[in-house]
Amino acid sequence: MSEAEVSLRLAVHLVMSGRAKSDVTVALDGAQVKIGQTQHFDVPGFLSSLGWLPEQGSVRWQCKYRNPSFTQSIVVHSQSGCGDVTATLASDEPLVVEAKKGTIAKCKASSEYPLLREAFGQLLTLKAVPENAVLAVAVPHGERFVTLAAQWREAPLVKRSGIRILTVSQTGEVAGWAQ
């Protein structure tokens, strides 16, 4: 599951579940989407398959996407250093999430540990984070990530920091909101 898919599925979940009070902003590195003529991830096509259409007249993948069933939009851009997914939650708290890619199926190589550590590192070193922000990392809902997330949620400093570890499934379900 790519980082772009994790971020976009989380954004859709935030709106559809009622967790987001505001538009949800998703920052995607352009290299995740396209390098030269090679398309890696079709943002408009993916969001369209979930009922989210680009703002009228937009021909770029960086734009506002709307679903007529919701007042909030999903805004996709390519600026770095601001969190991969940001929003204002229904509780009026700002949300800042760093997302990572990963495998869903079990495989021989185990990249989950370094990917989760990298997500924590990126989140902890953001240059600007709003006061009282809810902080989270989001990873695919694969067997190894689920096991690692359960272990790390119990680590004393993770608990004390309040950073949530979210696992995002390919069906759009998100686990790990509870502290």
Side-chain angles (χ1 to χ4, degrees):
M1 190 175 192
S2 71
E3 186 174 314
E5 183 177 353
V6 171
S7 297
L8 293 170
R9 284 196 186 280
L10 176 58
V12 169
H13 167 81
L14 288 167
V15 173
M16 294 180 73
S17 68
R19 288 188 186 276
K21 178 179 182 178
S22 68
D23 288 352
V24 179
T25 303
V26 177
L28 298 177
D29 181 340
Q32 295 176 38
V33 178
K34 187 176 185 180
I35 297 177
Q37 298 303 314
T38 305
Q39 180 88 30
H40 294 290
F41 191 87
D42 178 10
V43 174
F46 177 78
L47 285 173
S48 176
S49 75
L50 299 175
W52 295 84
L53 301 175
E55 197 167 50
Q56 200 168 22
S58 180
V59 293
R60 299 184 54 177
W61 60 267
Q62 303 108 316
C63 67
K64 186 178 279 194
Y65 293 82
R66 299 184 184 277
N67 180 313
S69 301
F70 301 98
T71 56
Q72 298 93 339
S73 298
I74 295 173
V75 179
V76 180
H77 64 81
S78 57
Q79 294 174 320
S80 61
C82 55
D84 294 327
V85 180
T86 58
T88 300
L89 296 172
S91 60
D92 283 324
E93 298 167 299
L95 172 69
V96 180
V97 181
E98 281 294 328
K100 284 292 162 209
K101 66 181 179 179
T103 58
I104 299 291
K106 202 169 187 176
C107 63
K108 288 183 182 184
S110 179
S111 59
E112 292 83 2
Y113 188 88
L115 285 168
L116 196 50
R117 286 184 74 167
E118 183 180 347
F120 268 88
Q122 287 177 310
L123 184 65
L124 291 170
T125 57
L126 286 174
K127 297 217 184 284
V129 176
E131 288 294 322
N132 79 329
V134 173
L135 303 175
V137 296
V139 293
H141 189 86
E143 184 180 333
R144 285 190 176 144
F145 272 129
V146 169
T147 300
L148 191 56
Q151 292 170 355
W152 284 23
R153 286 182 191 120
E154 297 304 314
L157 291 179
V158 172
K159 285 177 114 172
R160 191 180 312 162
S161 73
I163 296 173
R164 290 168 170 83
I165 304 172
L166 307 175
T167 58
V168 180
S169 76
Q170 289 184 305
T171 60
E173 297 170 51
V174 177
W177 286 109
Q179 276 291 60

